[in-house]
Amino acid sequence: MLQKGEPEINKSIRINGAIRARELRIIGPDGEQLGIMSLKEALSKANNMNLDLVEISPGANPPVAKIIDWGKYQYQKMKDQQKNRRQAKSGDLKQMRFGLKIGAGDLEVKLKKIRKFLEGGHKVRIQVVYKGREMAHKEIGYELIDKIMEHLSEDAILEQKPQMAGRNLSVVIRSK
């Protein structure tokens, strides 16, 4: 059972006494091949170096084990997982909402913000919100989206055509 804060990587990795194979191909702490030796011999070699014996490839014939500092290895794997998670999030979908009666200055500010999102590698959902009786003039929203796309034509590509969802007209764009 995993403890709180303990990384998930050590579920299937066997270390020291948990290794079941009788013979192992051993890799040293610097990556050099130490050859094939018995489990007892490998454990004593790891103990002499004050390091752990970690089974890297249990499916190989003979299984491969490496002499490393387990705590340091675990910490490094956890940091790599965190880094990968951060990089995966960089492609988020950002959203920018517009009203039909937006002024020219406000439009420029929002377009600048959209360009920043696109430079950051994000996709952007542009949403035109209809209020009250504006629903009677849906064509104004489509014209606004066309105007926005005209301004962003150098930076963005339309990924999804404009579509109505309730009182919102939305379109998704991404950088070129």
Side-chain angles (χ1 to χ4, degrees):
M1 187 78 191
L2 285 176
Q3 297 296 317
K4 186 178 180 185
E6 189 177 338
E8 300 170 16
I9 55 164
N10 60 358
K11 285 180 183 174
S12 62
I13 298 175
R14 292 189 276 249
I15 60 170
N16 297 330
I19 299 173
R20 297 185 196 128
R22 281 183 253 164
E23 278 196 339
L24 300 161
R25 181 179 306 276
I26 305 300
I27 300 171
D30 301 324
E32 74 278 2
Q33 294 275 343
L34 300 179
I36 297 173
M37 53 181 76
S38 70
L39 177 60
K40 196 178 237 182
E41 206 177 327
L43 282 170
S44 68
K45 195 169 207 102
N47 282 338
N48 291 343
M49 296 180 184
N50 288 330
L51 296 173
D52 299 302
L53 186 66
V54 179
E55 193 174 41
I56 302 293
S57 179
N61 190 13
V64 180
K66 189 171 185 179
I67 298 174
I68 52 176
D69 181 356
W70 175 244
K72 191 174 181 181
Y73 174 77
Q74 216 173 8
Y75 176 78
Q76 198 60 46
K77 283 289 188 193
M78 189 175 67
K79 285 295 176 190
D80 290 344
Q81 284 177 346
Q82 287 174 345
K83 184 179 174 187
N84 291 340
R85 248 191 312 258
R86 270 195 304 270
Q87 288 174 347
K89 284 186 179 178
S90 68
D92 283 346
L93 180 68
K94 300 290 186 175
Q95 183 170 307
M96 189 62 65
R97 296 177 66 155
F98 292 85
L100 285 185
K101 300 173 187 167
I102 189 167
D106 293 338
L107 181 65
E108 284 305 314
V109 169
K110 289 192 176 210
L111 289 174
K112 219 180 274 186
K113 191 74 171 170
I114 290 172
R115 284 189 184 99
K116 275 188 186 173
F117 289 152
L118 293 171
E119 285 171 15
H122 302 282
K123 291 180 183 179
V124 181
R125 174 184 289 130
I126 297 172
Q127 201 167 39
V128 176
V129 181
Y130 292 92
K131 294 179 184 142
R133 293 184 49 108
E134 292 174 349
M135 284 296 286
H137 300 284
K138 292 180 183 172
E139 71 279 355
I140 298 173
Y142 285 96
E143 289 169 10
L144 179 59
I145 284 190
D146 289 341
K147 184 176 175 182
I148 292 168
M149 287 310 299
E150 194 177 300
H151 284 287
L152 295 172
S153 62
E154 299 164 10
D155 306 316
I157 299 173
L158 202 64
E159 192 169 272
Q160 173 189 333
K161 294 201 183 303
Q163 58 184 173
M164 283 295 294
R167 293 190 160 269
N168 301 322
L169 173 66
S170 63
V171 65
V172 176
I173 61 172
R174 64 175 168 82
S175 59
K176 283 188 175 180

